[in-house]
Amino acid sequence: MTIKSVILSGGSGTRLWPASRETYPKQLLPLTGENSLLQETALRLKGFEAMDVDPRPIVVSNEEYRFIIAEQLRQIGVRSPQIVLEPVGRNTAPALTLAAHVAAEEGDPVLLVMPADHVIADVSAFQRGIGEGARLAAEGALVTFGIVPDRPETGYGYIRAGDVPAGADTARSLLEFVEKPDAQTAQAYVDSGQFFWNSGIFMMKASVWLRAIAQCNPAMASACADAAAASARDADFLRVDRAAFERCPSDSIDYAVMERLPSAPELGAGVVVPLSAGWSDVGAWDALWAVSDKDAQGNSARGEVMFEASRNTLVHASNRLVAAIGCEDMVVVETPDAVMVAHKSRTQDVKKVVARLKAEGRSLAQSHRKVYRPWGWYDSIDAGERFQVKRIVVNPGAKLSLQMHHHRAEHWIVVRGTAEVTCGEKVFLLAENESTYIPLGHTHRLANPGRLPLEIIEVQSGGYLGEDDIVRFEDNYGRIGH
């Protein structure tokens, strides 16, 4: 039996703004350690000896994150991941259905379905739970993992469990899913011992899921089958057919199949494996504080932070020193272009700020000042009327697209490394402290022929400086037409 990881990497994580943005959401951020949440998820089965684990996870994501995901997986030594690109968002059930079709091409593995943005503090306990879930899934069960609650949480959905089925160790029969309760109901759930938090983690054989979704939602099953059958390989990515996938209904794994199991035994046995492994969905800043390391006063810091007479406070600094003086039960998040200050009890309201930014048409909801690209990244250092200054770093061996701008000219100054510059018909090298000028309307390209990162300062000038003023003629990353 082989376990195949399926990592669902959609979602924008708006409640973790300003660190999380739509173009660089929370699963791509290192919120609890050196690795991003996506990287931690991919590493979660490392050293798992109970069963055979396929080292190539299936990651289901969208166009926007594809190069960042590929690079982050490369950084942690994950080779040949199967990155499936959804042309439009359709929730978790279609994402899993696409992954099941991909997995079924190589047999009928047991799928371990994990959101990319969760925290698991006790990996050993997690792996023990996975071992039991895998054995049950191999026998045809549809397994979900219920988090053993340690408080009456009103922000999570719950699962009610029944008796321990024959052949199980700790797993219990699945009776029902229930929505987020009020405080009194949540306390009753915890006191009863019958209820677990819904983790959003599942296990089942690929064939079992495909059979269940075909019975529960034939339209979804058909659309996903067609989209997968007409998919095309694009470098490290699998692009499913847009027209077919757009016909797919939107639904979650819970609603589409799992909630129906108690009344539809023909779909397969529904079981809940209790899990006590330091789990959190890191849904908001107060949840991150709860799972973070703290000092003797309950303060948690990331980045350059000084606490003075403060208690139970989280400070997340990415660019500057942040000094917290006399703070209690507070959250402070600093980024290069925004600072958020909130009481821990009000962190769910961050999404209201994001909604206001969107309503006002401000890009702070969508993107950071620092933007990642497949060739490297750029940071918009300064901007004013008719000018913009960017710091650009190009990875060794990488090159930007061959392009042209209708509305701006550019000056390039090499700070570090060697640049290969194409400007019109000319191709030449620039060393450190050398510069060049790209006139408006000229075809041009920047490349790094060296073995070290290339860093330049770019000064743009013109009547319009938006990123959509780019006409691409050649591109190494398949961005022409996408």
Side-chain angles (χ1 to χ4, degrees), residues 353-371:
V353 174
V354 175
R356 288 179 59 183
L357 290 170
K358 289 183 177 179
E360 295 172 7
R362 303 183 64 180
S363 63
L364 285 169
Q366 282 80 27
S367 58
H368 287 277
R369 201 182 79 174
K370 185 176 182 179
V371 177

Side-chain angles (χ1 to χ4, degrees), residues 247-476:
R247 296 196 303 267
C248 183
S250 177
D251 208 350
S252 69
I253 295 170
D254 291 348
Y255 286 126
V257 173
M258 299 302 294
E259 292 190 0
R260 305 188 187 196
L261 296 179
S263 59
E266 69 277 7
L267 297 175
V271 298
V272 184
V273 175
L275 198 60
S276 184
W279 171 91
S280 173
D281 70 348
V282 202
W285 287 109
D286 61 319
L288 181 62
W289 172 84
V291 298
S292 297
D293 293 334
K294 305 174 187 67
D295 64 17
Q297 287 72 45
N299 298 312
S300 177
R302 183 169 184 84
E304 192 175 6
V305 178
M306 294 180 66
F307 289 108
E308 185 67 36
S310 295
R311 297 177 63 250
N312 301 327
T313 289
L314 169 72
V315 178
H316 190 284
S318 63
N319 199 56
R320 288 162 286 190
L321 167 68
V322 175
I325 304 170
C327 294
E328 185 167 351
D329 295 320
M330 298 295 292
V331 172
V332 180
V333 183
E334 178 270 337
T335 69
D337 57 0
V339 177
M340 189 276 295
V341 181
H343 193 272
K344 278 218 307 276
S345 65
R346 300 296 299 274
T347 56
Q348 294 288 339
D349 292 340
V350 171
K351 60 186 177 183
K352 296 180 180 179
V353 174
V354 175
R356 288 179 59 183
L357 290 170
K358 289 183 177 179
E360 295 172 7
R362 303 183 64 180
S363 63
L364 285 169
Q366 282 80 27
S367 58
H368 287 277
R369 201 182 79 174
K370 185 176 182 179
V371 177
Y372 290 86
R373 290 288 185 254
W375 43 261
W377 53 266
Y378 68 82
D379 186 359
S380 298
I381 300 171
D382 196 8
E385 187 176 358
R386 296 185 62 85
F387 83 90
Q388 183 169 222
V389 182
K390 290 183 176 181
R391 178 187 174 200
I392 298 176
V393 173
V394 184
N395 297 327
K399 60 178 64 177
L400 283 67
S401 58
L402 182 67
Q403 58 186 249
M404 181 267 287
H405 308 296
H406 289 295
H407 302 286
R408 71 174 184 250
E410 297 174 347
H411 294 261
W412 295 347
I413 305 99
V414 177
V415 177
R416 180 170 54 128
T418 300
E420 180 185 276
V421 177
T422 300
C423 183
E425 300 297 321
K426 298 180 181 179
V427 179
F428 53 94
L429 296 177
L430 288 181
E432 293 180 5
N433 300 317
E434 294 183 333
S435 63
T436 191
Y437 171 64
I438 309 296
L440 183 151
H442 274 51
T443 302
H444 60 279
R445 181 173 228 164
L446 176 66
N448 180 1
R451 297 182 178 180
L452 298 175
L454 163 66
E455 183 174 346
I456 75 165
I457 299 299
E458 176 183 88
V459 181
Q460 303 175 357
S461 59
Y464 179 73
L465 306 173
E467 282 299 300
D468 54 349
D469 181 27
I470 298 177
V471 180
R472 291 190 174 97
F473 303 101
E474 296 176 12
D475 185 64
N476 287 9

Side-chain angles (χ1 to χ4, degrees), residues 129-261:
I130 293 305
E132 180 172 6
R135 289 189 293 273
L136 296 169
E139 297 170 2
L142 291 100
V143 181
T144 186
F145 294 85
I147 305 302
V148 179
D150 58 8
R151 62 187 185 277
E153 176 62 56
T154 60
Y156 296 144
Y158 284 69
I159 303 170
R160 184 165 72 93
D163 298 330
V164 177
D169 295 329
T170 64
R172 297 165 67 174
S173 59
L174 170 62
L175 296 182
E176 66 172 332
F177 286 77
V178 293
E179 299 295 337
K180 298 175 183 178
D182 58 30
Q184 184 177 356
T185 304
Q187 185 65 62
Y189 287 168
V190 174
D191 293 342
S192 73
Q194 285 188 298
F195 289 82
F196 300 91
W197 293 339
N198 182 6
S199 69
I201 303 172
F202 306 93
M203 293 191 85
M204 72 286 289
K205 292 172 71 174
S207 61
V208 170
W209 175 260
L210 291 175
R211 184 174 64 248
I213 199 67
Q215 182 170 331
C216 293
N217 196 322
M220 181 183 296
S222 176
C224 288
D226 292 344
S231 60
R233 181 68 58 181
D234 177 8
D236 295 328
F237 313 109
L238 185 70
R239 295 180 182 274
V240 304
D241 184 72
R242 171 178 286 273
F245 197 66
E246 284 180 338
R247 296 196 303 267
C248 183
S250 177
D251 208 350
S252 69
I253 295 170
D254 291 348
Y255 286 126
V257 173
M258 299 302 294
E259 292 190 0
R260 305 188 187 196
L261 296 179

